[in-house]
Amino acid sequence: MAMRDLVTGGAACSVPGSSSSSNPLGSFANSLVGSASKTQGTYRELPVVGPSPHDGTSDFRPVDPLTNLPGSELDSQTNAQSSEFLQRVRAPSHGAFDGVWNDMHRPPPLHPSLAQGTQNQPSFDEFDQIFNQGIASNHQPTLDGPPQRVLASFLHSFVNSGRSGIPFQPASLPVLGLSEGDKHRIRNRSTILSRHIFANSSEDFITAQVNALLHSLEIDSNLQMKGPLRGRYPELEDYWNETQGALQPAAPHAVDRWVSEYNHHGPHENADSWAESFQQQHGANGWASEFEQEQSQLASMGELRGVNNANLAMEQSRMLAETLSRNNDPKFKNSKFLQFVSKMSRGELIVDDNQVKPTGVANDWADQFSRENSSFGGNAWADEFANEQVHQGPADEQWVNEFSKLHLQDWGDEFEQQANEGILGRGEADDWADNFLDEVWSVKRGSDSSKSVYVFSDLNPYVGHPDPLKEGQELFRKGLLSEAVLALEAEVLKNPENAEGWRLLGITHAENDDDQQAIASMMRAHEVDPTNLEVLLALGVSHTNELEQAAALKYLYGWLQHHPKYGTIAPPMQPENSLYHPDVIRMFNEAAQMSPEDADVHIVLGVLYNLSREYDKAISSFETALKLRSQDYSLWNKLGATQANSVQSADAILAYQQALDLKPNYVRAWANMGISYANQGMHEESIRYYVRALGMNPKADNAWQYLKISLSCASRSDMFEACDSRNLDLLQKEFPL
Amino acid sequence: MALSSQLKTDALMEQMKLHLATDAGKELTKKIGLVYQINIGPKKIGVDEETYVVDLKKGEVTKGAYQGKPDCTFSFKDDDFVSVAMGKMNPQIAFLRGAMKIKGSLSAAQKFTPDIFPKPSKM
């Protein structure tokens, strides 16, 4: 049923919001073949694109309710298969066989669908005609009159033997005068057909049946199965060249015809039963091997000129992959084919010279891919399928093995899994691109952090406010940090030289858990007022948080140098890289001895010990400072963070709680709480705290990242999408604190 | 105590070392049980690399090459490792962008996820 949905575009696999949701596979084939021929006319005839203007072609669709009649399933399935087969026979030009096949179906009670099939004869004829133009020389339709009818009933009995499951009895037939080419085709096609109608039977049985049939028709079943492809299939090659070579005038039309035919059958019972029997026969992986086989076939078929409409092809393959991944059949989900297509759609794999290669120029692989897939449209596909065993040489196996060992596989699998779990809600290619852009941006921000470019908000209601600094200070005091950021941004836009504006903005960002922006604003404050101690300390702290040790050390040393009381201890600024951490520690300890009641000195010492990861000393420095200044919430947070980093998470949570009691909207402390719970393996709790922090500052990127990790650790992948789309309402509802 | 290394990674590794002694850390060794060697180039992969071994079998972090064969060896630039360990960058994307090189078992590489590293708290 999965395949049925896939082909018919059933609700289960439709892509919400996508215009092509009605039939992903159809539109996939559509774009591939359509782009190959670059013929506008194609689209008019495709049911997925719009209503068909041709009465003749719309008649072609079988009547749906037929498939639902009780007891008729088998009939319709078999007939569907055989009419599919019928097309194959007809398509390469055997006008003479059409009658045979139609006769074959007439004797039993006539199906409406078949009656329709005959009504559509004109379109077949047209197709045949077109086709014959290309390859006229090869065929000599010789069957007329009685032998044709004999052959029809003979073939009919062959088909019937599939339903009853009894072995097919060879019968003697009059001399039919079949040419080598005809025999060849009959052999190939009966092999295919039998695989469908005997799908439930063993391989041996199928082979026996086919051999019996072929024997009756005096076709050697073994001899001609061997030999090189070239020369054996002149008409096949012609067909290929025709479909692929855009230069030949007849080609596009032939392809279009075919596609419209295919699509008319595709969305209905025909394709369903095809797909079903195909799956039964080969398992889901049959698709994959078929697909792979196709590529190797193609490589040996010669150079086929591709198409340039790469973007469309990629888009379509992505949609196909997406559709496939929504499929509920686990067997299918894990199929190589799905993985293959999805990798293709992400551009991870390209196919080049009979080998799958990871990554490459998108256009290249898309060209290749569409070339491969054009064969979906041709009889060649069926023929290749029939010849699968024959051409499955050692080289191909090797190739397949190589493919399965490809390094990307595992990563691909995981991606696939994630996609199935719904992380990548909008489709993988989009997400890929988004991720990439995000990262480019964050990398840019990261590398700029030393130069610190401050990124202003886009829309700021405080621009034009008479006194944004005062407003900002007020908001900051109230703990509305995100609002305060906006007001302070308005202030520094108005007065770029206002060090206090920049400093408070930096503090606000730090409390809002955004160190990059904090550093950027503090750098501006530092430019305006290079000796501001609070700015120097804040820069030292922020750089420590960002693990930028050398920079942190420089600013903390600067703090000492510029301090009116302790400046004498510090020698004039040395070249940056010669700063020696133990020396700086020693000088601060001297300062602390000079005035043990100065909390600031202890705070800077605490930060310095954090830098050198002497956490015990850092903790005691902060504790000393807290005795002097117990109402400093940021000091409580510093103590907590230090304790957390020295894996005293339980103590840390107490310290954070102190900070939050003093300042309930302290985003950094909420986020730190989450980190502490996460580091203790209490992921459910950590999620609640992250969500709480994000509720106050949705721009805290770190918290989003940590939230996602915790969601994954807590096996809450169902919330990934909410996390990715930053859907706070949903998260807050799910994880209230 | 001198700063032994200017690498950001060094700070994370130090924290990892402590983390592995906790209950959550011990859980990790039980869950993963693999040995990763991580080579960090300060500015570029393969240049002036420092080597760490995150041994999730024994639950320890050491500096210098592993005595024996690690399950998987990664190479990173300092910043990229921090991005991956802190969940800023998805390891798969890091790998595909060439920011992360892998040698060894791929199934081992797959278990190398951001959640094995403790997150640094901020002052």
Side-chain angles (χ1 to χ4, degrees), chain A residues 703-730:
Chain A
W704 282 111
Q705 289 148 11
Y706 294 164
L707 171 61
K708 190 155 176 184
I709 293 172
S710 282
L711 284 171
S712 119
C713 289
S715 306
R716 290 304 303 265
S717 51
D718 55 313
M719 299 307 284
F720 275 179
E721 194 170 343
C723 182
D724 280 350
S725 58
R726 304 203 163 182
N727 183 347
L728 269 172
D729 288 345
L730 184 59

Side-chain angles (χ1 to χ4, degrees), chain A residues 408 410-411 414 432 439 515 545-547 610 613 637 644-645 668 672 675 679 702 705-706 713, chain B residues 1 8 10-11 14-15 19 24 86-89 92-93 96-97 102 106 110 115 119 121-123:
Chain A
L408 281 168
D410 288 339
W411 299 103
E414 196 166 311
W432 177 282
E439 267 165 38
D515 270 303
N545 286 338
E546 294 294 295
L547 308 172
N610 257 294
R613 291 168 224 132
N637 179 62
N645 287 340
R668 169 146 291 170
N672 277 338
I675 291 171
N679 286 350
N702 277 327
Q705 289 148 11
Y706 294 164
C713 289
Chain B
M1 179 186 138
K8 296 180 187 180
D10 206 57
E14 200 70 32
Q15 207 187 334
H19 180 64
M86 287 169 58
K88 274 191 187 124
M89 203 197 303
Q92 283 97 320
I93 287 172
L96 290 166
R97 291 178 59 200
I102 301 175
L106 280 169
Q110 275 185 287
D115 57 271
K119 304 295 165 269
S121 303
K122 295 195 168 183
M123 291 187 292

Side-chain angles (χ1 to χ4, degrees), chain A residues 618-672:
Chain A
I619 289 168
S620 66
S621 292
F622 287 136
E623 281 171 342
T624 309
L626 273 169
K627 278 178 199 142
L628 302 165
R629 209 186 282 170
S630 62
Q631 296 304 300
D632 186 340
Y633 54 84
S634 82
L635 193 45
W636 280 110
N637 179 62
K638 285 185 176 69
L639 174 65
T642 309
Q643 287 166 331
N645 287 340
S646 66
V647 296
Q648 303 171 24
S649 292
D651 294 345
I653 284 168
L654 294 177
Y656 294 142
Q657 199 55 61
Q658 291 283 342
L660 288 171
D661 288 346
L662 292 164
K663 179 151 191 167
N665 285 6
Y666 195 2
V667 178
R668 169 146 291 170
W670 286 109
N672 277 338

